[in-house]
Amino acid sequence: MALARAVWGGAPGGAVMRADGYEATLAMLRVLARARLPGAEAAQAAARRWPGSIDAGLLAVRLADPAGRDAALAELEARVRAANRRRAAVAEGWLHWGEPARARAALAEIDPRSDTARADIARRAALAIEAGDFDAAARDLEPDMLALQARLIYRRDGAAALGAHLAQAQGGAALWSEAFALLLAERDFTRLPWVLARWREGASDAAVARAEARLALERGDADAALAGLRARLDTGAPWGWAAADHALWLRAQTPDAGLLAHAQAACRVHADHAGLAHLARRLAEAVQDWRSLDPAPQGAAEIAARAALRFGCPGRAAGCVARAPATAATARLRAEALALAGRPVAAQAALRRAAPQDAPSRADLALAKADLALGSGDVRRALALLDPVRARFPDRMPLWLLTARAEFLRQDPAAAAAALERFRQLKSAQLGAPPPADMRDLLVADAGHAGQAL
């Protein structure tokens, strides 16, 4: 904790404090790893001092410099083999270095006699889901791996299938925690309160409290979220908070210089957390003179690209993601940047090159393609792109806004009004009250009245 406090206060990277004993040493190394501070020598010393420790070996991998990566991974592999347990630790080591294929390979052979075989198999299934290898995941999943089953259904079959599955599911906190995360990603505010209630039935820990605060924020009730955080957290020692709590704290308050300083300190302690980096950037934009800010800051490609788009620099944004891994998210960002730069054909090509591996990413791309199609006046193509999204992800709010726009352009105000009404129902579930009418509602209503007059 002393080291975390020093990092919070801006201690130089070389300020490594002494730690006595196994647990204290590993706690110190974890702080260094989270903060991305130099710690290779300290980690190697700990690994030598405790030659049978898999945790020490994994921290040596996380804190290794590039030249020492392979040696640290080989040593971790040797420890895992000698103990015949925790194959997943080797996978985590490869994931830390951005090697998901090698992470999966590390889990290819799991001894069923190992006392961690079940956990290792579950991790193998999770990595298969992440890679879009749903058949491999299904082979590994056991009947009581309920959380992973829900994740597989969502990633393979879509949100509608997940909703039907959850309506019949019986499970504990792990299932409902996973369901909450999946539905929050979908922004399914119709089912989220019900899932949170099921989660509360079997747990009352910090994770549930975070979920309550997150749902309050999504509903626009920042006061309730902040009150819950103040009641639960030690506000006098923020360096000990989890990264997720910092993110909630930052989102629940009005931007000012003090909140920005908190965000910057949190990013020092949790330098490996992209969400905090994004929030710190947004706070800097809200508080500081934009002339002092780099339109495309160093760091994660997606964060830099979004910042460049907010600054009105689509060329910089496209450049930020040009060399990033080709994911559905980076493809959408590149397409958005190209479209804003007045290059719709190039934007469409960027989306065509993406090859999403799961149903949610395919839906994301279909929505982006439909938006571009409407921008070019191709209403028929837009509606064709939206059809499969409607089948698998019927509660996505952007789906219904794009449908309303397409039907309006097709000169069918009744269908446009029906789509807007569905959007209003979904938005009401989020806000707890119907949203006020906006320009879209007025335009569609006027078109409908004009049609009736004719």
Side-chain angles (χ1 to χ4, degrees), residues 186-207:
E186 275 298 302
R187 300 182 65 76
D188 184 346
F189 297 101
T190 302
R191 293 185 178 89
L192 272 170
W194 173 76
V195 166
L196 182 55
R198 297 293 301 272
W199 188 2
R200 283 196 199 99
E201 291 173 3
S204 59
D205 56 9

Side-chain angles (χ1 to χ4, degrees), residues 146-169 175-188 191-192 194-195 359-360 391-395:
L146 301 178
L148 284 174
Q149 287 177 5
R151 190 185 308 177
L152 173 62
I153 289 169
Y154 172 66
R155 297 286 296 271
R156 182 188 61 199
D157 305 323
L162 174 64
H165 172 75
L166 292 176
Q168 305 296 324
L175 169 62
W176 301 116
S177 170
E178 179 72 21
F180 185 90
L182 297 175
L183 293 175
L184 187 63
E186 275 298 302
R187 300 182 65 76
D188 184 346
R191 293 185 178 89
L192 272 170
W194 173 76
V195 166
R392 289 190 166 197
F393 297 88
D395 295 329

Side-chain angles (χ1 to χ4, degrees), residues 229-368:
L229 291 167
R230 290 188 186 279
R232 181 170 58 84
L233 299 174
D234 181 356
T235 57
W239 46 85
W241 296 3
D245 290 323
H246 285 295
L248 292 167
W249 184 264
L250 298 175
R251 289 187 58 197
Q253 300 186 68
T254 303
D256 60 22
L259 197 64
L260 174 59
H262 181 115
Q264 291 167 338
C267 286
R268 287 193 292 271
V269 175
H270 298 280
D272 58 350
H273 197 282
L276 280 177
H278 170 71
L279 287 170
R281 171 66 192 202
R282 294 302 300 267
L283 279 167
E285 293 172 10
V287 172
Q288 296 179 340
D289 189 326
W290 279 26
R291 290 172 295 184
S292 67
L293 298 174
D294 184 349
Q298 296 295 317
E302 291 183 38
I303 294 174
R306 293 187 187 283
L309 287 174
R310 291 192 297 272
F311 270 64
C313 301
R316 291 283 296 275
C320 288
V321 294
R323 293 177 295 278
T327 65
T330 56
R332 293 199 313 275
L333 273 173
R334 182 165 174 77
E336 182 179 353
L338 292 168
L340 288 173
R343 301 176 60 193
V345 175
Q348 292 169 354
L351 293 178
R352 284 197 300 271
R353 284 196 292 271
Q357 299 297 312
D358 64 1
S361 297
R362 284 194 293 272
D364 292 340
L365 279 182
L367 293 172

